Amino acid sequence: MTNPRKSSALKEHEGVSEPETTNKRAIQAIKTKRQSQPSAADLVKGILAKNLTALSRAITLVESTNPQHLKKANTIIQACLPYANKSVRIGITGVPGVGKSTFIETFGTFLTSQGKKVAVLAVDPSSTLSHGSILGDKTRMEDLVKDDNAFIRPSPSGTSLGGVARKSRETIILCEAAGFDTILIETVGVGQSETAVHSMVDFFLLLKLTGAGDELQGIKRGIMEMADAIVINKADGDNLKNAKTAKVEFNRALHLYPPKESGWQPKVLLASALQNEGIPEVWQLIEDYLDLSKTTHFFDHKRNEQNKFWLLQTIEDRLKSDFYNNPAIKAELQIQLQHIENGTTSPFAAAEVLLGLK
Amino acid sequence: MTNPRKSSALKEHEGVSEPETTNKRAIQAIKTKRQSQPSAADLVKGILAKNLTALSRAITLVESTNPQHLKKANTIIQACLPYANKSVRIGITGVPGVGKSTFIETFGTFLTSQGKKVAVLAVDPSSTLSHGSILGDKTRMEDLVKDDNAFIRPSPSGTSLGGVARKSRETIILCEAAGFDTILIETVGVGQSETAVHSMVDFFLLLKLTGAGDELQGIKRGIMEMADAIVINKADGDNLKNAKTAKVEFNRALHLYPPKESGWQPKVLLASALQNEGIPEVWQLIEDYLDLSKTTHFFDHKRNEQNKFWLLQTIEDRLKSDFYNNPAIKAELQIQLQHIENGTTSPFAAAEVLLGLK
């Protein structure tokens, strides 16, 4: 096939370069400014001055895989620590379609109207593959995104849940140091992410739908038991009657579980984020929880336990990744898994072989 | 206070030793025989010949902490593997007082009457401290203990759940090689042991009581979601009406959970182990499950997944114990935990310090 352009009447003569009309020096100055890396101290100063650009840049360092960036991020986090820890951290989960974005939009806007400063984060390891499933589309939170008292940050990408969770947890510290007093952490109700989020929040809220068999769909086993509250969303219009029935059923189901260590009895509420109904009640419930857990000192106890959990978790994640990323072990693991599948070795004998390669 | 015996009229004179009436040589011969260690090959031969003494001795090797014994145990297990894997493994849990021993006694006796060969094991890490809480008292299974087609083995002791679980899992292989076709694994419904047992059985049965507020007591969060069946025990006499109500409630609660990967819908049954009522129905339900899961090949799939799980679990347990038992790390861990409690370091910075000592 001949190149149509070559034989075409449309063939163009090559042009000549236009003379430069921009000031090279000015361009260079802009480039230098863009590339200039503020120091860790500058970023800390910015964060404590509630500068959102500084906050965003620091979070970008936390999310980086460059060891230099991580070192800088650690310095910033250490410096921010004394100013963190002064917020309420709320986990929000529910299957896709339950209306998490709309709920967070309405709930977040309610909170800022009450004088709160709200940071919205997400933990969603799948975002690496799907390029931002939840919170990727900020347009679904169009009021909140324009709200000066709100800060929205999509899920960091990462190869493992452990990595994503670590980054989110450090981001919480930075947001708190920047003066955000209410941290909402969104996650999809379909994976292990809930356990990770549960271990970084004070209060865990499960959004549910009624009708359409949602009770039987999607929510991973065990998540309902973590919930401090179940909010049945879209409880409006024709749905209201079903929602009320579902409320009774969920309440009954929650009573089958043993009491929580906090002494808190999980509650079921109805809400319609779209109609802006039931939202103050959700916040009131969280305040009740905070009152109770601060009176009993469970609040601090839980945060302390969470910090210890994250210490051990970080160590164990690294021990595992160091082991499984060893090329000799990687190769032998495949061989041993095949032996196990064939029934020619026991899991314990196979483990001995692999540990011998360490 | 003076010692009453010293000043008492009851004070006894010290006696003199009685002359030996037993043959020292005979005793020595018995001791030698007891101490003689049959070879691994002898024990394998004995196990495959369904010799219970050989089975018990091999299990003792599995449970030993002596590295020589463990090496021998590994050889035996590898040799038994081709003959294992041909049983149904049933986990049985429930809070203390629910009647686990009586249920296993009645259920096990029913199974042997049907021509089954039944091994009863236990996973109970607490037995290290309490010296045999569950199954320690074999007298509560007085029929089964005399039954030639039953083999009862209390929980191995161990310092960690991981250790106890590993030992139990290897014991299953030995029992299967010795011809036991039905393995019952008992555990107390109060700890992490259920997760371990759940990952080594085909079918997981939760015993419940009705009345006395049992629904709200003791059973750890998450255990109900693992159950393939809930059996409400002691459903007899005055209790029967309450048991029927509880059955409806549990059924309703189970329907709030999403479907299991097996496609199996967990069922609720009533039984009275003491009155020997409802026992064949429990077995029928398990057979229904086996039919379903074998037809869909979920049965083999699950066992294969369990084997892979145990491979990784064994590796990770060892990586952790090697790390945390390092004296330098042990000492620094206490220091870093204190820093975390004081809020002067982040869990992630503390983890870096500790990992640097590896």
Side-chain angles (χ1 to χ4, degrees):
Chain A
M1 198 174 124
T2 54
N3 183 332
R5 288 196 68 150
K6 274 203 173 163
S7 58
S8 151
L10 295 173
K11 190 183 171 194
E12 287 168 42
H13 289 279
E14 283 189 18
V16 289
S17 298
E18 262 191 75
E20 294 274 356
T21 56
T22 47
N23 181 334
K24 278 190 183 174
R25 275 198 205 174
I27 290 176
Q28 197 51 49
I30 291 168
K31 278 193 180 165
T32 307
K33 189 158 186 245
R34 269 196 201 146
Q35 283 167 358
S36 81
Q37 300 283 350
S39 69
D42 284 346
L43 288 176
V44 171
K45 216 170 129 189
I47 289 170
L48 297 181
K50 312 190 176 185
N51 178 323
L52 296 192
T53 310
L55 175 61
S56 291
R57 292 190 92 146
I59 295 175
T60 302
L61 292 175
V62 162
E63 293 176 353
S64 168
T65 50
N66 177 330
Q68 287 300 317
H69 292 175
L70 288 181
K71 217 177 146 194
K72 201 164 163 186
N74 277 340
T75 310
I76 296 171
I77 290 161
Q78 287 295 99
C80 285
L81 267 181
Y83 308 95
N85 226 16
K86 288 175 185 113
S87 71
V88 49
R89 304 166 183 168
I90 302 166
I92 298 175
T93 193
V95 293
V98 77
K100 281 192 297 296
S101 297
T102 312
F103 180 83
I104 290 173
E105 161 94 342
T106 311
F107 188 53
T109 304
F110 168 79
L111 291 173
T112 58
S113 80
Q114 303 286 306
K116 305 276 177 204
K117 291 200 69 185
V118 178
V120 182
L121 312 175
V123 171
D124 177 17
S126 71
S127 67
T128 317
L129 299 171
S130 63
H131 288 293
S133 46
I134 57 169
L135 273 180
D137 189 9
K138 281 194 191 180
T139 54
R140 289 185 296 168
M141 299 187 189
E142 50 182 23
D143 286 340
L144 207 57
V145 88
K146 285 179 275 176
D147 193 325
D148 283 343
N149 289 309
F151 175 78
I152 302 181
R153 182 89 184 187
S155 184
S157 64
T159 47
S160 72
L161 171 61
V164 171
R166 178 186 65 75
K167 293 169 185 177
S168 300
R169 213 160 174 292
E170 296 184 335
T171 298
I172 293 175
I173 293 169
L174 299 179
C175 290
E176 291 178 348
F180 289 97
D181 54 30
T182 314
I183 317 283
L184 306 182
I185 301 162
E186 177 182 5
T187 181
V188 283
V190 289
Q192 289 253 285
S193 327
E194 284 64 38
T195 314
V197 170
H198 184 246
S199 63
M200 59 176 89
V201 298
D202 306 311
F203 191 91
F204 197 65
L205 197 153
L206 170 61
L207 289 181
K208 278 280 204 178
L209 280 185
T210 184
D214 172 69
E215 304 83 35
L216 294 170
Q217 283 166 9
I219 277 286
K220 210 177 159 266
R221 309 178 79 78
I223 291 177
M224 215 167 89
E225 303 201 46
M226 291 182 199
D228 294 302
I230 293 177
V231 174
I232 302 175
N233 194 22
K234 305 190 184 177
D236 48 34
D238 293 345
N239 231 345
L240 191 57
K241 196 170 155 244
N242 283 339
K244 284 181 177 167
T245 312
K247 182 179 171 177
V248 174
E249 291 212 2
F250 280 123
N251 255 322
R252 200 194 312 258
L254 287 174
H255 272 90
L256 292 174
Y257 298 129
K260 296 199 159 205
E261 195 196 344
S262 55
W264 174 255
Q265 172 62 46
K267 306 274 189 309
V268 185
L269 294 176
L270 301 182
S272 167
L274 207 62
Q275 308 286 332
N276 200 356
E277 284 168 8
I279 302 299
E281 288 78 2
V282 174
W283 178 244
Q284 183 57 51
L285 191 74
I286 295 172
E287 285 205 313
D288 290 349
Y289 174 82
L290 293 175
D291 283 350
L292 174 79
S293 65
K294 286 186 174 169
T295 307
T296 60
H297 301 291
F298 181 80
F299 186 88
D300 290 332
H301 169 69
K302 184 173 177 183
R303 285 213 171 173
N304 200 22
E305 292 298 301
Q306 288 176 333
N307 282 331
K308 290 177 186 171
F309 170 82
W310 283 103
L311 168 65
L312 302 181
Q313 195 63 38
T314 307
I315 287 172
E316 287 154 23
D317 284 351
R318 264 279 279 293
L319 292 177
K320 283 196 261 179
S321 68
D322 287 355
F323 183 83
Y324 291 118
N325 287 331
N326 175 329
I329 288 169
K330 240 181 190 166
E332 186 64 30
L333 179 61
Q334 293 313 313
I335 296 170
Q336 292 296 327
L337 283 172
Q338 196 55 54
H339 286 326
I340 287 176
E341 193 143 353
N342 300 342
T344 51
T345 191
S346 80
F348 307 103
E352 288 304 320
V353 172
L354 289 162
L355 286 161
L357 297 174
K358 203 171 72 162
Chain B
M1 200 174 123
T2 55
N3 183 333
R5 290 196 65 148
K6 275 203 175 159
S7 57
S8 149
L10 294 173
K11 189 181 172 197
E12 288 167 40
H13 289 280
E14 284 190 16
V16 288
S17 297
E18 263 192 72
E20 293 274 357
T21 57
T22 47
N23 181 336
K24 280 190 181 173
R25 277 202 202 168
I27 290 175
Q28 198 49 50
I30 290 169
K31 278 192 180 164
T32 307
K33 190 162 183 236
R34 269 197 201 147
Q35 283 166 358
S36 80
Q37 300 282 349
S39 70
D42 284 346
L43 288 176
V44 171
K45 217 170 130 188
I47 288 170
L48 297 181
K50 311 190 176 183
N51 177 326
L52 297 192
T53 311
L55 175 62
S56 291
R57 293 189 92 148
I59 295 175
T60 303
L61 292 175
V62 162
E63 293 176 353
S64 168
T65 50
N66 178 328
Q68 288 299 317
H69 291 174
L70 287 181
K71 217 177 145 192
K72 201 164 161 185
N74 277 341
T75 310
I76 297 170
I77 290 162
Q78 287 294 97
C80 284
L81 268 179
Y83 308 95
N85 226 15
K86 287 175 184 116
S87 72
V88 48
R89 304 166 183 168
I90 302 166
I92 298 176
T93 193
V95 294
V98 78
K100 282 191 296 297
S101 297
T102 312
F103 180 82
I104 290 172
E105 160 94 342
T106 310
F107 188 52
T109 305
F110 168 78
L111 291 173
T112 59
S113 81
Q114 303 285 308
K116 305 276 175 201
K117 291 199 69 185
V118 178
V120 182
L121 313 174
V123 171
D124 178 16
S126 72
S127 67
T128 317
L129 300 169
S130 62
H131 289 293
S133 46
I134 57 168
L135 273 180
D137 189 8
K138 282 195 191 178
T139 54
R140 288 184 295 167
M141 299 185 189
E142 49 182 25
D143 286 337
L144 207 57
V145 87
K146 285 179 277 176
D147 193 324
D148 284 342
N149 289 311
F151 175 79
I152 303 181
R153 183 87 183 188
S155 184
S157 64
T159 47
S160 71
L161 172 60
V164 171
R166 179 185 65 75
K167 292 169 185 177
S168 300
R169 210 156 177 293
E170 296 184 335
T171 298
I172 293 175
I173 293 169
L174 299 179
C175 290
E176 290 178 347
F180 289 96
D181 54 30
T182 314
I183 318 284
L184 307 181
I185 302 162
E186 178 182 4
T187 182
V188 284
V190 290
Q192 290 252 286
S193 326
E194 283 64 38
T195 314
V197 170
H198 184 245
S199 63
M200 59 176 89
V201 298
D202 306 311
F203 190 92
F204 198 64
L205 196 154
L206 171 60
L207 289 182
K208 278 280 205 177
L209 280 185
T210 185
D214 172 70
E215 304 82 35
L216 294 170
Q217 283 165 10
I219 278 286
K220 210 177 159 265
R221 308 179 79 79
I223 291 178
M224 215 167 88
E225 303 201 46
M226 291 181 199
D228 294 302
I230 294 177
V231 174
I232 302 176
N233 194 22
K234 304 191 185 177
D236 48 33
D238 294 346
N239 232 346
L240 191 57
K241 195 170 155 241
N242 283 340
K244 284 181 179 168
T245 312
K247 182 179 171 177
V248 174
E249 291 211 4
F250 280 124
N251 255 324
R252 200 195 309 259
L254 286 175
H255 272 90
L256 291 173
Y257 298 130
K260 296 199 159 207
E261 196 195 343
S262 56
W264 173 255
Q265 173 62 44
K267 305 275 190 308
V268 185
L269 293 177
L270 302 181
S272 168
L274 207 62
Q275 308 286 334
N276 199 355
E277 283 168 9
I279 301 300
E281 288 78 2
V282 174
W283 177 244
Q284 182 58 53
L285 190 74
I286 295 172
E287 284 206 311
D288 290 349
Y289 174 82
L290 294 175
D291 282 349
L292 174 79
S293 65
K294 286 184 175 170
T295 307
T296 60
H297 301 290
F298 181 80
F299 186 88
D300 289 332
H301 169 69
K302 185 173 177 183
R303 285 213 171 173
N304 200 22
E305 292 298 302
Q306 288 176 333
N307 282 332
K308 290 178 185 169
F309 170 82
W310 283 102
L311 167 65
L312 303 181
Q313 194 63 37
T314 307
I315 288 172
E316 287 154 24
D317 284 350
R318 264 279 281 294
L319 292 177
K320 283 196 261 178
S321 67
D322 287 355
F323 183 83
Y324 292 117
N325 287 330
N326 174 331
I329 289 169
K330 240 180 190 168
E332 186 64 30
L333 178 61
Q334 293 313 312
I335 297 169
Q336 293 296 327
L337 283 172
Q338 195 56 54
H339 286 326
I340 286 177
E341 192 144 353
N342 300 342
T344 51
T345 191
S346 79
F348 306 104
E352 287 304 320
V353 172
L354 289 162
L355 285 162
L357 297 175
K358 203 171 72 160

